[in-house]
C-alpha cells in the first residue's frame, strides 16, 4: 500500500545544530507539504513543493529550508536549530488532479531543541 | 487573504449529547474546498470530509453531519450521540483550487466525558 513516512519520529537536539527531518511518500504525488503543529496555533505551513525542483515558502518558513530532487522525498532542514522550533512536524502529500487538496499525512516527527 | 477560524478552543460534553463544532472561513476565490480532519490522542491526522464550493448540500455519515452555508461562510460539523472515542482535536481547513495549499484553523479540542 502507498504511504508517507517520516523519520526520525522523535529527536532531541541542541540549539545551533543542523537538523534534517526526512519525508518519503510512495503515492507518486506531485505536491508535498511540511507543517508544524503547536498548541494554540494549529497546523502552520512551513514549505511546500508542487514537483521536482520546485519549492515555495509557507507562512512560517524562517529558519527552515527544503529541497526536492525527486518525486518521493521532501527533506526539511533546520540550518541552526532554535528553541522556538521545538514542535511536532507533519509532512503531507497530495495530487492536484486526483484529490485536489486532500492531504495524506505522515505520522509526525516530534523535535525538541534544548 | 484566506483564513479559517475555529472560535471554540475546547469543548466538553457528556457522552450521548450532540455537539457542533463551528468553522468560519474567508476567501475571495469562487472555487475552493473545505475539509475537516480529526486528530485523536494518538496524534495522527485523519481525513473526515471534503466539500467543494459549488456543493452546498449537507452531508451525513453515520453520527457525523456537516452543514455548509456559503451565505455565512461557515462549514460546521455536528456529532450526534457523541461517544468517548470522539474525543480528539478537530481541524477545519480550506484550500483554493488554484494552488492546492491547505490552510488550517487552530483546531477545537473535544472532550467527551463518560
Amino acid at each position: 500500500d502507498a504511504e508517507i513516512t517520516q523519520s526520525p519520529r522523535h529527536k532531541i537536539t541542541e540549539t545551533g545544530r543542523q537538523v534534517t527531518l526526512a519525508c518519503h511518500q510512495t503515492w507518486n504525488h506531485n505536491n508535498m507539504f511540511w507543517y508544524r503543529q503547536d498548541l494554540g496555533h494549529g497546523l502552520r505551513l512551513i514549505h511546500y513543493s508542487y514537483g521536482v525542483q520546485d519549492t515555495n515558502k509557507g507562512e512560517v518558513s524562517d529558519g527552515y529550508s527544503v529541497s526536492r530532487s525527486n518525486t518521493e522525498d521532501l527533506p526539511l532542514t533546520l540550518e541552526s536549530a532554535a528553541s522556538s522550533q521545538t514542535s511536532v512536524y507533519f509532512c503531507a502529500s497530495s495530487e492536484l488532479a486526483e484529490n485536489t487538496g486532500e492531504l495524506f499525512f505522515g505520522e509526525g516527527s516530534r523535535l525538541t531543541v534544548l | 487573504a484566506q483564513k479559517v477560524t475555529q472560535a471554540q478552543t475546547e469543548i466538553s460534553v457528556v457522552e450521548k449529547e450532540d455537539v457542533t463544532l463551528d468553522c468560519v472561513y474567508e476567501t475571495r476565490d469562487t472555487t475552493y474546498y473545505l475539509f475537516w480532519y480529526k486528530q485523536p490522542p494518538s496524534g495522527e491526522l485523519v481525513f473526515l470530509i471534503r466539500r467543494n464550493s459549488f456543493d452546498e448540500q449537507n452531508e451525513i455519515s453515520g453520527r457525523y453531519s456537516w452543514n455548509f452555508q456559503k451565505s455565512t461562510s461557515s462549514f460546521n460539523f455536528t456529532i450526534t450521540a457523541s461517544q468517548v472515542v470522539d474525543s480528539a482535536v478537530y481541524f477545519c481547513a480550506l484550500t483554493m483550487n488554484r494552488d492546492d495549499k491547505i490552510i488550517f484553523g487552530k483546531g477545537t479540542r473535544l472532550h467527551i466525558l463518560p
Side-chain angles (χ1 to χ4, degrees):
Chain A
D1 288 345
E3 60 181 2
I4 179 167
T5 55
Q6 296 181 227
S7 62
R9 296 289 311 282
H10 302 273
K11 184 170 182 66
I12 301 174
T13 191
E14 295 177 343
T15 301
R17 290 190 178 266
Q18 183 181 80
V19 176
T20 296
L21 304 179
C23 176
H24 179 81
Q25 54 101 359
T26 58
W27 292 99
N28 201 33
H29 286 161
N30 284 315
N31 305 337
M32 294 185 73
F33 305 82
W34 274 104
Y35 290 86
R36 61 177 288 176
Q37 183 178 16
D38 305 287
L39 195 63
H41 292 280
L43 289 153
R44 292 182 291 176
L45 184 61
I46 306 171
H47 281 286
Y48 56 104
S49 167
Y50 291 139
V52 177
Q53 303 301 330
D54 175 76
T55 60
N56 306 279
K57 293 181 179 181
E59 61 177 302
V60 290
S61 60
D62 286 350
Y64 303 95
S65 63
V66 293
S67 61
R68 188 86 180 273
S69 58
N70 58 54
T71 300
E72 295 80 16
D73 299 290
L74 186 71
L76 177 71
T77 298
L78 289 68
E79 299 294 342
S80 178
S83 57
S84 61
Q85 294 177 308
T86 293
S87 185
V88 179
Y89 292 86
F90 285 96
C91 180
S93 71
S94 72
E95 182 54 55
L96 185 66
E98 294 180 14
N99 293 314
T100 315
E102 177 178 344
L103 293 183
F104 294 83
F105 283 92
E107 294 179 320
S109 295
R110 182 176 296 275
L111 176 67
T112 302
V113 182
L114 301 176
Chain B
Q2 292 75 38
K3 186 178 179 182
V4 176
T5 301
Q6 295 180 254
Q8 303 152 308
T9 304
E10 200 159 349
I11 300 175
S12 294
V13 300
V14 177
E15 195 173 20
K16 298 184 182 177
E17 289 184 353
D18 299 346
V19 57
T20 295
L21 309 183
D22 297 333
C23 173
V24 174
Y25 63 92
E26 296 176 28
T27 179
R28 292 181 180 178
D29 287 49
T30 57
T31 304
Y32 53 89
Y33 294 80
L34 294 161
F35 303 80
W36 277 94
Y37 281 83
K38 174 182 179 180
Q39 187 177 42
S42 52
E44 74 272 24
L45 286 151
V46 179
F47 167 80
L48 294 178
I49 189 171
R50 177 184 69 211
R51 171 68 69 222
N52 75 55
S53 54
F54 298 109
D55 181 4
E56 286 195 70
Q57 279 191 337
N58 291 335
E59 178 146 347
I60 298 175
S61 176
R63 296 183 296 106
Y64 295 171
S65 63
W66 291 269
N67 184 345
F68 176 32
Q69 292 194 336
K70 290 179 74 172
S71 61
T72 56
S73 297
S74 65
F75 186 44
N76 296 338
F77 172 33
T78 296
I79 301 175
T80 302
S82 60
Q83 300 177 2
V84 172
V85 293
D86 296 325
S87 296
V89 180
Y90 290 87
F91 292 98
C92 181
L94 165 72
T95 187
M96 278 57 66
N97 189 51
R98 56 182 163 83
D99 65 9
D100 233 30
K101 184 176 61 176
I102 291 191
I103 297 167
F104 286 83
K106 293 184 178 181
T108 297
R109 183 175 296 276
L110 177 64
H111 300 279
I112 307 298
L113 307 173

mmCIF file with all atom_site columns, all heavy atoms in Angstrom, chain A residues 6-29:
data_model
loop_
_atom_site.group_PDB
_atom_site.id
_atom_site.type_symbol
_atom_site.label_atom_id
_atom_site.label_alt_id
_atom_site.label_comp_id
_atom_site.label_asym_id
_atom_site.label_entity_id
_atom_site.label_seq_id
_atom_site.pdbx_PDB_ins_code
_atom_site.Cartn_x
_atom_site.Cartn_y
_atom_site.Cartn_z
_atom_site.occupancy
_atom_site.B_iso_or_equiv
_atom_site.pdbx_formal_charge
_atom_site.auth_seq_id
_atom_site.auth_comp_id
_atom_site.auth_asym_id
_atom_site.auth_atom_id
_atom_site.pdbx_PDB_model_num
ATOM 1   N N   . GLN A 1 6  ? 7.778  9.425  7.859   1.00 0.00 ? 6  GLN A N   1
ATOM 2   C CA  . GLN A 1 6  ? 8.669  10.464 8.376   1.00 0.00 ? 6  GLN A CA  1
ATOM 3   C C   . GLN A 1 6  ? 9.718  9.840  9.295   1.00 0.00 ? 6  GLN A C   1
ATOM 4   O O   . GLN A 1 6  ? 9.427  8.887  10.029  1.00 0.00 ? 6  GLN A O   1
ATOM 5   C CB  . GLN A 1 6  ? 7.878  11.513 9.167   1.00 0.00 ? 6  GLN A CB  1
ATOM 6   C CG  . GLN A 1 6  ? 6.888  12.297 8.347   1.00 0.00 ? 6  GLN A CG  1
ATOM 7   C CD  . GLN A 1 6  ? 6.157  13.327 9.179   1.00 0.00 ? 6  GLN A CD  1
ATOM 8   O OE1 . GLN A 1 6  ? 4.937  13.453 9.104   1.00 0.00 ? 6  GLN A OE1 1
ATOM 9   N NE2 . GLN A 1 6  ? 6.887  14.104 9.975   1.00 0.00 ? 6  GLN A NE2 1
ATOM 10  N N   . SER A 1 7  ? 10.911 10.419 9.252   1.00 0.00 ? 7  SER A N   1
ATOM 11  C CA  . SER A 1 7  ? 11.944 9.979  10.189  1.00 0.00 ? 7  SER A CA  1
ATOM 12  C C   . SER A 1 7  ? 12.890 11.128 10.503  1.00 0.00 ? 7  SER A C   1
ATOM 13  O O   . SER A 1 7  ? 13.126 11.988 9.640   1.00 0.00 ? 7  SER A O   1
ATOM 14  C CB  . SER A 1 7  ? 12.728 8.790  9.603   1.00 0.00 ? 7  SER A CB  1
ATOM 15  O OG  . SER A 1 7  ? 13.382 9.179  8.419   1.00 0.00 ? 7  SER A OG  1
ATOM 16  N N   . PRO A 1 8  ? 13.406 11.172 11.743  1.00 0.00 ? 8  PRO A N   1
ATOM 17  C CA  . PRO A 1 8  ? 13.024 10.303 12.851  1.00 0.00 ? 8  PRO A CA  1
ATOM 18  C C   . PRO A 1 8  ? 11.660 10.698 13.424  1.00 0.00 ? 8  PRO A C   1
ATOM 19  O O   . PRO A 1 8  ? 11.160 11.777 13.139  1.00 0.00 ? 8  PRO A O   1
ATOM 20  C CB  . PRO A 1 8  ? 14.134 10.581 13.873  1.00 0.00 ? 8  PRO A CB  1
ATOM 21  C CG  . PRO A 1 8  ? 14.511 12.007 13.622  1.00 0.00 ? 8  PRO A CG  1
ATOM 22  C CD  . PRO A 1 8  ? 14.394 12.195 12.123  1.00 0.00 ? 8  PRO A CD  1
ATOM 23  N N   . ARG A 1 9  ? 11.059 9.839  14.195  1.00 0.00 ? 9  ARG A N   1
ATOM 24  C CA  . ARG A 1 9  ? 9.788  10.156 14.824  1.00 0.00 ? 9  ARG A CA  1
ATOM 25  C C   . ARG A 1 9  ? 9.985  11.033 16.053  1.00 0.00 ? 9  ARG A C   1
ATOM 26  O O   . ARG A 1 9  ? 9.104  11.813 16.424  1.00 0.00 ? 9  ARG A O   1
ATOM 27  C CB  . ARG A 1 9  ? 9.070  8.870  15.222  1.00 0.00 ? 9  ARG A CB  1
ATOM 28  C CG  . ARG A 1 9  ? 8.682  7.981  14.046  1.00 0.00 ? 9  ARG A CG  1
ATOM 29  C CD  . ARG A 1 9  ? 7.549  8.589  13.219  1.00 0.00 ? 9  ARG A CD  1
ATOM 30  N NE  . ARG A 1 9  ? 6.446  9.040  14.044  1.00 0.00 ? 9  ARG A NE  1
ATOM 31  C CZ  . ARG A 1 9  ? 5.528  8.241  14.567  1.00 0.00 ? 9  ARG A CZ  1
ATOM 32  N NH1 . ARG A 1 9  ? 5.583  6.939  14.361  1.00 0.00 ? 9  ARG A NH1 1
ATOM 33  N NH2 . ARG A 1 9  ? 4.555  8.731  15.318  1.00 0.00 ? 9  ARG A NH2 1
ATOM 34  N N   . HIS A 1 10 ? 11.116 10.886 16.667  1.00 0.00 ? 10 HIS A N   1
ATOM 35  C CA  . HIS A 1 10 ? 11.447 11.711 17.840  1.00 0.00 ? 10 HIS A CA  1
ATOM 36  C C   . HIS A 1 10 ? 12.911 12.098 17.748  1.00 0.00 ? 10 HIS A C   1
ATOM 37  O O   . HIS A 1 10 ? 13.746 11.258 17.399  1.00 0.00 ? 10 HIS A O   1
ATOM 38  C CB  . HIS A 1 10 ? 11.210 10.942 19.146  1.00 0.00 ? 10 HIS A CB  1
ATOM 39  C CG  . HIS A 1 10 ? 9.823  10.459 19.325  1.00 0.00 ? 10 HIS A CG  1
ATOM 40  N ND1 . HIS A 1 10 ? 8.831  11.233 19.895  1.00 0.00 ? 10 HIS A ND1 1
ATOM 41  C CD2 . HIS A 1 10 ? 9.231  9.286  18.977  1.00 0.00 ? 10 HIS A CD2 1
ATOM 42  C CE1 . HIS A 1 10 ? 7.711  10.545 19.926  1.00 0.00 ? 10 HIS A CE1 1
ATOM 43  N NE2 . HIS A 1 10 ? 7.926  9.368  19.371  1.00 0.00 ? 10 HIS A NE2 1
ATOM 44  N N   . LYS A 1 11 ? 13.197 13.369 18.063  1.00 0.00 ? 11 LYS A N   1
ATOM 45  C CA  . LYS A 1 11 ? 14.589 13.803 18.059  1.00 0.00 ? 11 LYS A CA  1
ATOM 46  C C   . LYS A 1 11 ? 14.782 14.905 19.075  1.00 0.00 ? 11 LYS A C   1
ATOM 47  O O   . LYS A 1 11 ? 13.948 15.820 19.174  1.00 0.00 ? 11 LYS A O   1
ATOM 48  C CB  . LYS A 1 11 ? 15.027 14.284 16.683  1.00 0.00 ? 11 LYS A CB  1
ATOM 49  C CG  . LYS A 1 11 ? 16.521 14.644 16.636  1.00 0.00 ? 11 LYS A CG  1
ATOM 50  C CD  . LYS A 1 11 ? 17.021 14.879 15.247  1.00 0.00 ? 11 LYS A CD  1
ATOM 51  C CE  . LYS A 1 11 ? 18.524 15.178 15.262  1.00 0.00 ? 11 LYS A CE  1
ATOM 52  N NZ  . LYS A 1 11 ? 19.307 13.997 15.719  1.00 0.00 ? 11 LYS A NZ  1
ATOM 53  N N   . ILE A 1 12 ? 15.880 14.817 19.801  1.00 0.00 ? 12 ILE A N   1
ATOM 54  C CA  . ILE A 1 12 ? 16.292 15.868 20.722  1.00 0.00 ? 12 ILE A CA  1
ATOM 55  C C   . ILE A 1 12 ? 17.618 16.403 20.223  1.00 0.00 ? 12 ILE A C   1
ATOM 56  O O   . ILE A 1 12 ? 18.537 15.618 19.943  1.00 0.00 ? 12 ILE A O   1
ATOM 57  C CB  . ILE A 1 12 ? 16.420 15.337 22.166  1.00 0.00 ? 12 ILE A CB  1
ATOM 58  C CG1 . ILE A 1 12 ? 15.085 14.771 22.643  1.00 0.00 ? 12 ILE A CG1 1
ATOM 59  C CG2 . ILE A 1 12 ? 16.899 16.443 23.105  1.00 0.00 ? 12 ILE A CG2 1
ATOM 60  C CD1 . ILE A 1 12 ? 15.146 14.088 23.989  1.00 0.00 ? 12 ILE A CD1 1
ATOM 61  N N   . THR A 1 13 ? 17.719 17.701 20.105  1.00 0.00 ? 13 THR A N   1
ATOM 62  C CA  . THR A 1 13 ? 18.954 18.304 19.635  1.00 0.00 ? 13 THR A CA  1
ATOM 63  C C   . THR A 1 13 ? 19.266 19.545 20.457  1.00 0.00 ? 13 THR A C   1
ATOM 64  O O   . THR A 1 13 ? 18.481 19.942 21.326  1.00 0.00 ? 13 THR A O   1
ATOM 65  C CB  . THR A 1 13 ? 18.850 18.653 18.146  1.00 0.00 ? 13 THR A CB  1
ATOM 66  O OG1 . THR A 1 13 ? 20.147 19.015 17.644  1.00 0.00 ? 13 THR A OG1 1
ATOM 67  C CG2 . THR A 1 13 ? 17.900 19.828 17.915  1.00 0.00 ? 13 THR A CG2 1
ATOM 68  N N   . GLU A 1 14 ? 20.410 20.120 20.168  1.00 0.00 ? 14 GLU A N   1
ATOM 69  C CA  . GLU A 1 14 ? 20.823 21.323 20.909  1.00 0.00 ? 14 GLU A CA  1
ATOM 70  C C   . GLU A 1 14 ? 20.722 22.555 20.025  1.00 0.00 ? 14 GLU A C   1
ATOM 71  O O   . GLU A 1 14 ? 20.834 22.476 18.793  1.00 0.00 ? 14 GLU A O   1
ATOM 72  C CB  . GLU A 1 14 ? 22.266 21.154 21.391  1.00 0.00 ? 14 GLU A CB  1
ATOM 73  C CG  . GLU A 1 14 ? 22.429 20.046 22.411  1.00 0.00 ? 14 GLU A CG  1
ATOM 74  C CD  . GLU A 1 14 ? 23.872 19.858 22.817  1.00 0.00 ? 14 GLU A CD  1
ATOM 75  O OE1 . GLU A 1 14 ? 24.766 20.349 22.104  1.00 0.00 ? 14 GLU A OE1 1
ATOM 76  O OE2 . GLU A 1 14 ? 24.106 19.214 23.847  1.00 0.00 ? 14 GLU A OE2 1
ATOM 77  N N   . THR A 1 15 ? 20.537 23.677 20.641  1.00 0.00 ? 15 THR A N   1
ATOM 78  C CA  . THR A 1 15 ? 20.479 24.946 19.934  1.00 0.00 ? 15 THR A CA  1
ATOM 79  C C   . THR A 1 15 ? 21.720 25.123 19.063  1.00 0.00 ? 15 THR A C   1
ATOM 80  O O   . THR A 1 15 ? 22.838 24.857 19.506  1.00 0.00 ? 15 THR A O   1
ATOM 81  C CB  . THR A 1 15 ? 20.386 26.107 20.937  1.00 0.00 ? 15 THR A CB  1
ATOM 82  O OG1 . THR A 1 15 ? 19.210 25.927 21.738  1.00 0.00 ? 15 THR A OG1 1
ATOM 83  C CG2 . THR A 1 15 ? 20.294 27.439 20.233  1.00 0.00 ? 15 THR A CG2 1
ATOM 84  N N   . GLY A 1 16 ? 21.488 25.540 17.822  1.00 0.00 ? 16 GLY A N   1
ATOM 85  C CA  . GLY A 1 16 ? 22.580 25.810 16.903  1.00 0.00 ? 16 GLY A CA  1
ATOM 86  C C   . GLY A 1 16 ? 22.942 24.654 15.989  1.00 0.00 ? 16 GLY A C   1
ATOM 87  O O   . GLY A 1 16 ? 23.652 24.853 14.994  1.00 0.00 ? 16 GLY A O   1
ATOM 88  N N   . ARG A 1 17 ? 22.475 23.481 16.279  1.00 0.00 ? 17 ARG A N   1
ATOM 89  C CA  . ARG A 1 17 ? 22.796 22.330 15.440  1.00 0.00 ? 17 ARG A CA  1
ATOM 90  C C   . ARG A 1 17 ? 21.898 22.291 14.208  1.00 0.00 ? 17 ARG A C   1
ATOM 91  O O   . ARG A 1 17 ? 20.770 22.783 14.224  1.00 0.00 ? 17 ARG A O   1
ATOM 92  C CB  . ARG A 1 17 ? 22.655 21.031 16.219  1.00 0.00 ? 17 ARG A CB  1
ATOM 93  C CG  . ARG A 1 17 ? 23.721 20.852 17.290  1.00 0.00 ? 17 ARG A CG  1
ATOM 94  C CD  . ARG A 1 17 ? 23.671 19.448 17.861  1.00 0.00 ? 17 ARG A CD  1
ATOM 95  N NE  . ARG A 1 17 ? 24.714 19.245 18.867  1.00 0.00 ? 17 ARG A NE  1
ATOM 96  C CZ  . ARG A 1 17 ? 25.898 18.735 18.600  1.00 0.00 ? 17 ARG A CZ  1
ATOM 97  N NH1 . ARG A 1 17 ? 26.219 18.366 17.379  1.00 0.00 ? 17 ARG A NH1 1
ATOM 98  N NH2 . ARG A 1 17 ? 26.774 18.572 19.576  1.00 0.00 ? 17 ARG A NH2 1
ATOM 99  N N   . GLN A 1 18 ? 22.414 21.687 13.157  1.00 0.00 ? 18 GLN A N   1
ATOM 100 C CA  . GLN A 1 18 ? 21.607 21.474 11.964  1.00 0.00 ? 18 GLN A CA  1
ATOM 101 C C   . GLN A 1 18 ? 20.831 20.162 12.121  1.00 0.00 ? 18 GLN A C   1
ATOM 102 O O   . GLN A 1 18 ? 21.364 19.153 12.588  1.00 0.00 ? 18 GLN A O   1
ATOM 103 C CB  . GLN A 1 18 ? 22.482 21.390 10.711  1.00 0.00 ? 18 GLN A CB  1
ATOM 104 C CG  . GLN A 1 18 ? 21.672 21.250 9.421   1.00 0.00 ? 18 GLN A CG  1
ATOM 105 C CD  . GLN A 1 18 ? 22.548 21.133 8.183   1.00 0.00 ? 18 GLN A CD  1
ATOM 106 O OE1 . GLN A 1 18 ? 23.085 20.073 7.872   1.00 0.00 ? 18 GLN A OE1 1
ATOM 107 N NE2 . GLN A 1 18 ? 22.719 22.243 7.478   1.00 0.00 ? 18 GLN A NE2 1
ATOM 108 N N   . VAL A 1 19 ? 19.571 20.215 11.736  1.00 0.00 ? 19 VAL A N   1
ATOM 109 C CA  . VAL A 1 19 ? 18.702 19.042 11.849  1.00 0.00 ? 19 VAL A CA  1
ATOM 110 C C   . VAL A 1 19 ? 17.971 18.849 10.525  1.00 0.00 ? 19 VAL A C   1
ATOM 111 O O   . VAL A 1 19 ? 17.515 19.827 9.917   1.00 0.00 ? 19 VAL A O   1
ATOM 112 C CB  . VAL A 1 19 ? 17.658 19.229 12.965  1.00 0.00 ? 19 VAL A CB  1
ATOM 113 C CG1 . VAL A 1 19 ? 16.697 18.048 13.001  1.00 0.00 ? 19 VAL A CG1 1
ATOM 114 C CG2 . VAL A 1 19 ? 18.324 19.428 14.314  1.00 0.00 ? 19 VAL A CG2 1
ATOM 115 N N   . THR A 1 20 ? 17.864 17.604 10.104  1.00 0.00 ? 20 THR A N   1
ATOM 116 C CA  . THR A 1 20 ? 17.088 17.297 8.900   1.00 0.00 ? 20 THR A CA  1
ATOM 117 C C   . THR A 1 20 ? 16.034 16.257 9.237   1.00 0.00 ? 20 THR A C   1
ATOM 118 O O   . THR A 1 20 ? 16.348 15.210 9.809   1.00 0.00 ? 20 THR A O   1
ATOM 119 C CB  . THR A 1 20 ? 17.970 16.792 7.759   1.00 0.00 ? 20 THR A CB  1
ATOM 120 O OG1 . THR A 1 20 ? 18.869 17.836 7.368   1.00 0.00 ? 20 THR A OG1 1
ATOM 121 C CG2 . THR A 1 20 ? 17.125 16.405 6.551   1.00 0.00 ? 20 THR A CG2 1
ATOM 122 N N   . LEU A 1 21 ? 14.805 16.576 8.894   1.00 0.00 ? 21 LEU A N   1
ATOM 123 C CA  . LEU A 1 21 ? 13.691 15.646 9.040   1.00 0.00 ? 21 LEU A CA  1
ATOM 124 C C   . LEU A 1 21 ? 13.348 15.098 7.663   1.00 0.00 ? 21 LEU A C   1
ATOM 125 O O   . LEU A 1 21 ? 13.153 15.865 6.719   1.00 0.00 ? 21 LEU A O   1
ATOM 126 C CB  . LEU A 1 21 ? 12.480 16.354 9.646   1.00 0.00 ? 21 LEU A CB  1
ATOM 127 C CG  . LEU A 1 21 ? 12.712 17.059 10.988  1.00 0.00 ? 21 LEU A CG  1
ATOM 128 C CD1 . LEU A 1 21 ? 11.414 17.727 11.445  1.00 0.00 ? 21 LEU A CD1 1
ATOM 129 C CD2 . LEU A 1 21 ? 13.219 16.096 12.029  1.00 0.00 ? 21 LEU A CD2 1
ATOM 130 N N   . ALA A 1 22 ? 13.267 13.798 7.565   1.00 0.00 ? 22 ALA A N   1
ATOM 131 C CA  . ALA A 1 22 ? 13.017 13.164 6.275   1.00 0.00 ? 22 ALA A CA  1
ATOM 132 C C   . ALA A 1 22 ? 11.537 12.899 6.079   1.00 0.00 ? 22 ALA A C   1
ATOM 133 O O   . ALA A 1 22 ? 10.806 12.617 7.032   1.00 0.00 ? 22 ALA A O   1
ATOM 134 C CB  . ALA A 1 22 ? 13.794 11.855 6.169   1.00 0.00 ? 22 ALA A CB  1
ATOM 135 N N   . CYS A 1 23 ? 11.118 12.983 4.837   1.00 0.00 ? 23 CYS A N   1
ATOM 136 C CA  . CYS A 1 23 ? 9.747  12.654 4.443   1.00 0.00 ? 23 CYS A CA  1
ATOM 137 C C   . CYS A 1 23 ? 9.795  11.913 3.116   1.00 0.00 ? 23 CYS A C   1
ATOM 138 O O   . CYS A 1 23 ? 10.374 12.420 2.146   1.00 0.00 ? 23 CYS A O   1
ATOM 139 C CB  . CYS A 1 23 ? 8.907  13.916 4.302   1.00 0.00 ? 23 CYS A CB  1
ATOM 140 S SG  . CYS A 1 23 ? 7.229  13.598 3.705   1.00 0.00 ? 23 CYS A SG  1
ATOM 141 N N   . HIS A 1 24 ? 9.163  10.744 3.092   1.00 0.00 ? 24 HIS A N   1
ATOM 142 C CA  . HIS A 1 24 ? 9.186  9.896  1.901   1.00 0.00 ? 24 HIS A CA  1
ATOM 143 C C   . HIS A 1 24 ? 7.778  9.397  1.632   1.00 0.00 ? 24 HIS A C   1
ATOM 144 O O   . HIS A 1 24 ? 7.135  8.843  2.513   1.00 0.00 ? 24 HIS A O   1
ATOM 145 C CB  . HIS A 1 24 ? 10.134 8.709  2.128   1.00 0.00 ? 24 HIS A CB  1
ATOM 146 C CG  . HIS A 1 24 ? 10.217 7.766  0.971   1.00 0.00 ? 24 HIS A CG  1
ATOM 147 N ND1 . HIS A 1 24 ? 10.995 8.002  -0.137  1.00 0.00 ? 24 HIS A ND1 1
ATOM 148 C CD2 . HIS A 1 24 ? 9.592  6.577  0.755   1.00 0.00 ? 24 HIS A CD2 1
ATOM 149 C CE1 . HIS A 1 24 ? 10.858 7.004  -0.993  1.00 0.00 ? 24 HIS A CE1 1
ATOM 150 N NE2 . HIS A 1 24 ? 10.020 6.126  -0.477  1.00 0.00 ? 24 HIS A NE2 1
ATOM 151 N N   . GLN A 1 25 ? 7.304  9.616  0.402   1.00 0.00 ? 25 GLN A N   1
ATOM 152 C CA  . GLN A 1 25 ? 5.959  9.139  0.056   1.00 0.00 ? 25 GLN A CA  1
ATOM 153 C C   . GLN A 1 25 ? 6.019  8.237  -1.168  1.00 0.00 ? 25 GLN A C   1
ATOM 154 O O   . GLN A 1 25 ? 6.809  8.465  -2.080  1.00 0.00 ? 25 GLN A O   1
ATOM 155 C CB  . GLN A 1 25 ? 4.997  10.325 -0.167  1.00 0.00 ? 25 GLN A CB  1
ATOM 156 C CG  . GLN A 1 25 ? 5.471  11.362 -1.194  1.00 0.00 ? 25 GLN A CG  1
ATOM 157 C CD  . GLN A 1 25 ? 4.853  11.273 -2.547  1.00 0.00 ? 25 GLN A CD  1
ATOM 158 O OE1 . GLN A 1 25 ? 4.022  10.384 -2.816  1.00 0.00 ? 25 GLN A OE1 1
ATOM 159 N NE2 . GLN A 1 25 ? 5.242  12.189 -3.436  1.00 0.00 ? 25 GLN A NE2 1
ATOM 160 N N   . THR A 1 26 ? 5.175  7.233  -1.144  1.00 0.00 ? 26 THR A N   1
ATOM 161 C CA  . THR A 1 26 ? 5.119  6.282  -2.259  1.00 0.00 ? 26 THR A CA  1
ATOM 162 C C   . THR A 1 26 ? 3.813  6.403  -3.020  1.00 0.00 ? 26 THR A C   1
ATOM 163 O O   . THR A 1 26 ? 3.428  5.494  -3.755  1.00 0.00 ? 26 THR A O   1
ATOM 164 C CB  . THR A 1 26 ? 5.314  4.848  -1.741  1.00 0.00 ? 26 THR A CB  1
ATOM 165 O OG1 . THR A 1 26 ? 4.294  4.555  -0.765  1.00 0.00 ? 26 THR A OG1 1
ATOM 166 C CG2 . THR A 1 26 ? 6.679  4.669  -1.112  1.00 0.00 ? 26 THR A CG2 1
ATOM 167 N N   . TRP A 1 27 ? 3.102  7.528  -2.829  1.00 0.00 ? 27 TRP A N   1
ATOM 168 C CA  . TRP A 1 27 ? 1.874  7.783  -3.575  1.00 0.00 ? 27 TRP A CA  1
ATOM 169 C C   . TRP A 1 27 ? 2.151  8.285  -4.984  1.00 0.00 ? 27 TRP A C   1
ATOM 170 O O   . TRP A 1 27 ? 1.246  8.346  -5.810  1.00 0.00 ? 27 TRP A O   1
ATOM 171 C CB  . TRP A 1 27 ? 1.036  8.850  -2.865  1.00 0.00 ? 27 TRP A CB  1
ATOM 172 C CG  . TRP A 1 27 ? 0.451  8.441  -1.553  1.00 0.00 ? 27 TRP A CG  1
ATOM 173 C CD1 . TRP A 1 27 ? 0.941  8.720  -0.317  1.00 0.00 ? 27 TRP A CD1 1
ATOM 174 C CD2 . TRP A 1 27 ? -0.747 7.706  -1.345  1.00 0.00 ? 27 TRP A CD2 1
ATOM 175 N NE1 . TRP A 1 27 ? 0.136  8.188  0.654   1.00 0.00 ? 27 TRP A NE1 1
ATOM 176 C CE2 . TRP A 1 27 ? -0.918 7.572  0.062   1.00 0.00 ? 27 TRP A CE2 1
ATOM 177 C CE3 . TRP A 1 27 ? -1.706 7.147  -2.191  1.00 0.00 ? 27 TRP A CE3 1
ATOM 178 C CZ2 . TRP A 1 27 ? -1.993 6.895  0.618   1.00 0.00 ? 27 TRP A CZ2 1
ATOM 179 C CZ3 . TRP A 1 27 ? -2.796 6.479  -1.646  1.00 0.00 ? 27 TRP A CZ3 1
ATOM 180 C CH2 . TRP A 1 27 ? -2.920 6.358  -0.254  1.00 0.00 ? 27 TRP A CH2 1
ATOM 181 N N   . ASN A 1 28 ? 3.376  8.693  -5.235  1.00 0.00 ? 28 ASN A N   1
ATOM 182 C CA  . ASN A 1 28 ? 3.732  9.319  -6.502  1.00 0.00 ? 28 ASN A CA  1
ATOM 183 C C   . ASN A 1 28 ? 3.007  10.656 -6.690  1.00 0.00 ? 28 ASN A C   1
ATOM 184 O O   . ASN A 1 28 ? 2.666  11.050 -7.805  1.00 0.00 ? 28 ASN A O   1
ATOM 185 C CB  . ASN A 1 28 ? 3.432  8.394  -7.698  1.00 0.00 ? 28 ASN A CB  1
ATOM 186 C CG  . ASN A 1 28 ? 4.232  8.783  -8.932  1.00 0.00 ? 28 ASN A CG  1
ATOM 187 O OD1 . ASN A 1 28 ? 5.362  9.250  -8.836  1.00 0.00 ? 28 ASN A OD1 1
ATOM 188 N ND2 . ASN A 1 28 ? 3.636  8.616  -10.096 1.00 0.00 ? 28 ASN A ND2 1
ATOM 189 N N   . HIS A 1 29 ? 2.780  11.328 -5.573  1.00 0.00 ? 29 HIS A N   1
ATOM 190 C CA  . HIS A 1 29 ? 2.126  12.629 -5.610  1.00 0.00 ? 29 HIS A CA  1
ATOM 191 C C   . HIS A 1 29 ? 3.107  13.725 -5.997  1.00 0.00 ? 29 HIS A C   1
ATOM 192 O O   . HIS A 1 29 ? 4.271  13.713 -5.570  1.00 0.00 ? 29 HIS A O   1
ATOM 193 C CB  . HIS A 1 29 ? 1.537  12.978 -4.239  1.00 0.00 ? 29 HIS A CB  1
ATOM 194 C CG  . HIS A 1 29 ? 0.309  12.208 -3.914  1.00 0.00 ? 29 HIS A CG  1
ATOM 195 N ND1 . HIS A 1 29 ? -0.161 12.085 -2.616  1.00 0.00 ? 29 HIS A ND1 1
ATOM 196 C CD2 . HIS A 1 29 ? -0.579 11.538 -4.692  1.00 0.00 ? 29 HIS A CD2 1
ATOM 197 C CE1 . HIS A 1 29 ? -1.277 11.377 -2.630  1.00 0.00 ? 29 HIS A CE1 1
ATOM 198 N NE2 . HIS A 1 29 ? -1.546 11.030 -3.866  1.00 0.00 ? 29 HIS A NE2 1
#
